[in-house]
Amino acid sequence: MPESRRLDRLTSMMRRRGIVLPSFEIYGGVAGLVDYGPVGARIKRKVIQAWIDHWTSNGDIVEVDSPTITPKAVLVASGHVGEFNDQMSECLSCNAIFRSDHLVEGMHPSPDTLEGEELDSLISSNSVTCPNCQGGEWAKARPMNLMFPTTIGAMGGGREAYMRPETAQGMFMLFPSLYRHFKQKLPFGAVQTGRGYRNEISPRKGMIRLREFNMAELEYFIDPLDQPCGDLGQYTDKISLIPDPEGENQGEIRSTFSEANQSGLIKHSTVAWFMARTYDFLTKIGIDSEKIRFRQHAGSEMAHYASDCWDCEILGEYDWIECVGIANRTCHDLESHELHSGSNLLRSWRQFVTPKKIFKEGLSPNSSVIGPLFKQRAGAISTAISELVDIPGSFPFTIVLDGGFEAEITKEMVSLVKEERNIHGEWFTPHVIEPAFGIDRIIWHVLDHSFIEDGKDEEGYVTLRLSETVCPYDLSILPLFDKDGMGEFARGMFNQVSTIRGIHADIDSSGSIGKRYARADEIGVPWAITVDHSTLDDGTVTVRKRDDQRQVRISSEELIVHVKNRTIESLF
RNA sequence: GCGCCUGUAGUGAAGGGGUUAUCACAAGAGGUUUCCAACCUCUUGUCCCGGGUUCAAAUCCCGGCGGGCGCACCA
């Protein structure tokens, strides 16, 4: 079997068996949009369920769900409207397109803040040449919008909006509700799974770069003075870590999460903790641990909102692909939303262990004197007096207002106040650690790593060695013949197991028994239950294990108990 | 967006200006004491879309859409 075509065989199988296939195909298809078919949708649901369970099982993280349509103002505050509207310049001689701000790199302190016309004039005044063909003629810079715009309101005059490029903003919007839910105590987190939208220039590589995709994001809100972290010592695997090439550490380092955190390779303990938990999740759903690595972003590739970011990359048919990003978003989002919205609900209270005593000495304006004397300027003068930090040693002294007005302040106009207060705590903007998962990319790699071809002949025998956590059906029930009562017995069993919560069975009576095993193996059903002649005599069935084809015989009642308890494995 | 390659049943392929487009596997019905893709009979189903050239286009040409790779892009 030529290994170079494994990718083709895997994608063909995925289409044929209804796992993942191009969308809208009878209308020619649309690049970057895919469907999950009947088998794929079940796998996807189980991956997402496993993800939600993984993060919410500690009690400090809850699930939320917010709209995909997002008002423009939210995305202006988050920085996406600015960042997602990069100006692009096209070379008139070879039609190559470049980001305008990259072309004028070094010619301006902050090229990414410039408008189209400023970029154009910078390009022409510096005679920037095309990196591709050395031509010097450029078309006007045009904005490239990577978000899908829409309008809220069916008639004219609606509000401008975009399809969300990430689910994170919805969780920031819900911060006040989360803060109340968690009894106003950090740390806590929220997860959200759902669709995100990016109008990619050129979607590529099957389901790797999509225009509409499934994401799963976790926002963990912490006090920046604290770095909450679980027991890293429980993760003893050595992990491949590739630190920022612009930093002190070079090349690939193999280390445990605990060591990496202690040595300062992973600076933030909470980031290290989520990296470990991410590794734990990925291996649990069937990603090969040898094909996982973490790569730190260089400062230059960091998203606009992040101060540190580690990508989790997975090795598959498309080489190393970024599947999870674990970013320290600091207070960027909450602070920016506070600024843009005027809300004061995006903060958290930090209680001091011991109240701080503060002594405040200041001047208090005597308005009965100041008022009649300064009339309309009295208010401004009173404020200025209260805000004086250095109290002048003698009277009279002069205060200069913003407009240049000079007021002479005499002893009678003020009184000296000495105040002693206990401060019990302070308000601050929480920081956010965000693990963001690309669900489609993860599903791809789960399938890639499970796709085992080990046929002896040319044709190849395919087994999808999916973990029970993500398999599309838990078991396949196969009547050896659909007659003599075997079919009825099988359907009875099917109905019985189908009432068990979380269990989905398949029933298949067409074709030879070998063919039916093969069909079940190909989509990763872990157990095949065969109803045969003996079943009719003594009520026993055979249970076949997908990964080694071993079979045991057991009474159907006993089997159903094992299905219920998820202990089929113990039969082997 | 650009360049090169490419598009034939569900999947993989063959063919190719001329009657009804070929093969394998898959799928459906029936048969067969049928436990690892067995066999027999029958059946369903295909030239990406649009325009052009031509007496005649699935085939040649142009455009679009989709796919692969490279460049660019991937906040």
Side-chain angles (χ1 to χ4, degrees):
Chain A
M1 242 173 302
E3 196 52 27
S4 61
R5 295 189 48 220
R6 181 174 181 269
L7 174 60
D8 295 332
R9 293 191 300 271
L10 175 51
T11 47
S12 296
M13 186 280 278
M14 285 167 61
R15 283 168 170 238
R16 187 162 41 79
R17 297 306 309 269
I19 299 176
V20 173
L21 52 168
S23 296
F24 310 114
E25 223 183 353
I26 63 169
Y27 287 99
V30 180
L33 300 180
V34 295
D35 284 340
Y36 283 87
V39 174
R42 285 216 47 79
I43 295 172
K44 169 174 163 253
R45 181 166 294 280
K46 291 184 82 166
V47 167
I48 290 173
Q49 192 58 51
W51 188 86
I52 291 171
D53 293 345
H54 180 77
W55 297 109
T56 57
S57 58
N58 275 336
D60 58 341
I61 294 169
V62 289
E63 186 187 3
V64 297
D65 193 37
S66 37
T68 58
I69 298 174
T70 309
K72 183 178 180 183
V74 174
L75 296 161
V76 169
S78 69
H80 287 92
V81 170
E83 292 289 327
F84 262 39
N85 283 286
D86 291 325
Q87 297 287 333
M88 304 294 282
S89 294
E90 181 174 1
C91 169
L92 291 177
S93 47
C94 72
N95 296 321
I97 294 186
F98 303 91
R99 274 178 62 161
S100 314
D101 56 338
H102 287 182
L103 289 173
V104 299
E105 199 76 46
M107 301 166 195
H108 188 277
S110 51
D112 55 337
T113 61
L114 299 175
E115 297 297 323
E117 285 180 15
E118 298 172 293
L119 287 161
D120 288 339
S121 68
L122 212 51
I123 287 172
S124 64
S125 66
N126 286 281
S127 324
V128 173
T129 54
C130 172
N132 186 40
C133 72
Q134 273 67 51
E137 297 291 311
W138 295 92
K140 276 196 166 67
R142 288 183 314 220
M144 168 190 71
N145 191 352
L146 284 179
M147 288 193 292
F148 286 95
T150 187
T151 307
I152 300 174
M155 303 298 283
R159 289 176 79 182
E160 279 186 82
Y162 295 95
M163 305 304 288
R164 66 180 177 198
E166 58 172 15
T167 67
Q169 296 309 319
M171 290 183 271
F172 298 134
M173 297 299 100
L174 282 167
F175 178 81
S177 171
L178 292 163
Y179 188 58
R180 280 193 298 275
H181 178 86
F182 283 104
K183 316 299 187 297
Q184 314 188 354
K185 258 190 228 120
L186 293 177
F188 58 75
V191 292
Q192 174 162 212
T193 65
R195 306 277 189 159
Y197 304 83
R198 292 175 199 181
N199 206 351
E200 296 280 355
I201 300 169
S202 63
R204 284 281 169 86
K205 297 181 173 172
M207 59 192 286
I208 299 296
R209 271 178 76 186
L210 297 172
R211 289 193 162 118
E212 173 172 344
F213 52 99
N214 293 283
M215 51 208 308
E217 296 184 305
L218 159 57
E219 309 300 324
Y220 200 68
F221 298 95
I222 60 170
D223 183 333
L225 299 183
D226 191 21
Q227 298 192 1
C229 180
D231 172 22
L232 281 176
Q234 67 186 291
Y235 302 108
T236 53
D237 286 6
K238 294 260 185 199
I239 314 298
S240 287
L241 300 161
I242 304 175
D244 173 6
E246 297 162 11
E248 310 156 11
N249 299 292
Q250 296 293 318
E252 186 169 331
I253 296 168
R254 284 188 74 84
S255 158
T256 65
F257 289 111
S258 174
E259 287 162 5
N261 184 219
Q262 274 160 24
S263 69
L265 189 59
I266 306 170
K267 290 189 187 65
H268 200 290
S269 299
T270 313
V271 170
W273 173 244
F274 282 121
M275 285 168 70
R277 293 282 287 147
T278 294
Y279 177 82
D280 191 25
F281 170 74
L282 292 175
T283 52
K284 193 160 77 185
I285 61 167
I287 297 291
D288 182 346
S289 63
E290 291 300 309
K291 295 176 177 172
I292 295 175
R293 73 180 188 194
F294 288 85
R295 195 178 62 80
Q296 187 180 30
H297 279 207
S300 52
E301 86 178 292
M302 204 90 66
H304 64 273
Y305 49 70
S307 78
D308 188 17
C309 184
W310 285 85
D311 278 347
C312 177
E313 300 182 326
I314 305 178
L315 181 63
E317 288 292 335
Y318 295 112
D319 207 352
W320 288 98
I321 296 289
E322 165 197 352
C323 294
V324 185
I326 299 162
N328 181 355
R329 292 180 79 134
T330 67
C331 55
H332 168 89
D333 299 271
L334 290 179
E335 209 165 76
S336 182
H337 284 305
E338 176 173 303
L339 193 69
H340 283 80
S341 68
S343 167
N344 61 358
L345 298 173
L346 305 178
R347 299 181 153 218
S348 177
W349 178 254
R350 180 188 293 135
Q351 187 87 28
F352 295 144
V353 179
T354 49
K356 284 183 186 167
K357 277 195 191 322
I358 59 159
F359 298 96
K360 200 179 155 196
E361 203 178 43
L363 294 176
S364 169
N366 186 346
S367 53
S368 63
V369 178
I370 293 171
L373 206 58
F374 294 105
K375 304 269 190 314
Q376 69 269 37
R377 290 202 173 90
I381 290 168
S382 296
T383 307
I385 290 170
S386 311
E387 288 173 351
L388 274 180
V389 180
D390 298 315
I391 297 163
S394 63
F395 293 96
F397 61 90
T398 304
I399 280 184
V400 183
L401 297 186
D402 277 352
F405 180 82
E406 299 187 1
E408 182 170 279
I409 307 299
T410 63
K411 206 174 188 174
E412 292 69 35
M413 294 177 192
V414 298
S415 47
L416 190 62
V417 183
K418 288 188 179 173
E419 201 185 4
E420 184 184 320
R421 270 172 48 194
N422 282 328
I423 306 292
H424 294 273
E426 62 190 336
W427 290 98
F428 68 97
T429 305
H431 280 211
V432 175
I433 308 296
E434 175 198 78
F437 288 64
I439 292 293
D440 310 282
R441 290 179 174 191
I442 289 169
I443 290 174
W444 164 264
H445 286 96
V446 168
L447 295 168
D448 183 331
H449 295 183
S450 325
F451 183 72
I452 309 294
E453 298 174 291
D454 53 5
K456 295 142 212 82
D457 53 7
E458 189 68 13
E459 201 178 319
Y461 189 93
V462 170
T463 307
L464 209 54
R465 297 208 174 160
L466 293 175
S467 111
E468 290 197 56
T469 320
V470 299
C471 58
Y473 295 101
D474 299 281
L475 50 145
S476 197
I477 299 177
L478 313 172
L480 192 57
F481 309 101
D482 197 0
K483 60 181 185 186
D484 303 333
M486 292 178 217
E488 285 73 13
F489 192 96
R491 277 183 288 279
M493 267 193 84
F494 175 81
N495 291 339
Q496 253 185 295
V497 296
S498 295
T499 62
I500 302 171
R501 215 154 90 98
I503 293 291
H504 285 261
D506 182 35
I507 184 162
D508 186 357
S509 60
S510 76
S512 74
I513 191 68
K515 184 173 278 191
R516 285 179 271 162
Y517 289 143
R519 276 199 287 247
D521 287 345
E522 195 179 35
I523 58 168
V525 183
W527 311 108
I529 314 302
T530 306
V531 174
D532 58 17
H533 292 100
S534 310
T535 310
L536 302 176
D537 297 335
D538 60 12
T540 61
V541 294
T542 65
V543 183
R544 171 186 177 275
K545 184 175 177 175
R546 177 195 64 205
D547 294 341
D548 58 16
Q549 293 92 49
R550 276 191 292 157
Q551 273 179 300
V552 296
R553 182 169 280 278
I554 182 177
S555 83
S556 68
E557 288 89 359
E558 239 180 292
L559 173 64
I560 285 167
V561 172
H562 281 292
V563 173
K564 217 172 262 173
N565 298 335
R566 272 73 171 170
T567 50
I568 302 178
E569 183 71 55
S570 70
L571 297 171
F572 288 83

